[in-house]
Amino acid sequence: MRMEFKGFHPKDANSDVTITLTESGIEYSNPSTRAFQFIAYTQVAGFSGWLPTYGSLHIYSSNPNLTIHLNFPQEVAEDYLRQIQDILKEKVGPKTTNHLVAAMA
């Protein structure tokens, strides 16, 4: 499995970022800064997504120095958040369900 979702940086709507869901975890990349992060599904401590006028996603790691945050344009936000959160729920599994914040308002 490899599913890629393009969004933008929370502090700069002109800065494209990508989140990729793989078999083993979540990849986050920002081509303009060459930033890259990876969180294995076994290290996901929680996640949340919401729909103000755009879609916003936070993925928290058990490593407090590693968090993924990105936004999605309004026209794709609901679909992207649903797909991503469904996969995270499946991959993270019941062992951490009590610790997850998986809310989409």
Side-chain angles (χ1 to χ4, degrees), residues 15-89:
S15 181
D16 295 335
V17 295
T18 302
I19 185 173
T20 305
L21 304 178
T22 69
E23 283 299 324
S24 58
I26 306 125
E27 298 174 356
Y28 169 90
S29 61
N30 183 332
S32 62
T33 64
R34 298 185 186 172
F36 179 85
Q37 294 180 348
F38 177 81
I39 300 175
Y41 293 122
T42 57
Q43 298 299 310
V44 172
F47 58 92
S48 63
W50 64 93
L51 293 165
T53 56
Y54 54 87
S56 187
L57 176 70
H58 286 258
I59 302 172
Y60 308 98
S61 169
S62 56
N63 174 345
N65 297 316
L66 188 58
T67 300
I68 293 173
H69 179 201
L70 72 155
N71 295 331
F72 300 108
Q74 186 174 9
E75 59 273 6
V76 298
E78 186 172 355
D79 183 47
Y80 280 14
L81 288 172
R82 182 187 49 75
Q83 288 184 61
I84 292 166
Q85 290 187 55
D86 285 350
I87 291 168
L88 289 174
K89 287 175 193 174

Side-chain angles (χ1 to χ4, degrees), residues 89-99:
K89 287 175 193 174
E90 174 188 321
K91 293 289 189 179
V92 171
K95 68 181 184 334
T96 58
T97 300
N98 294 334
H99 302 97

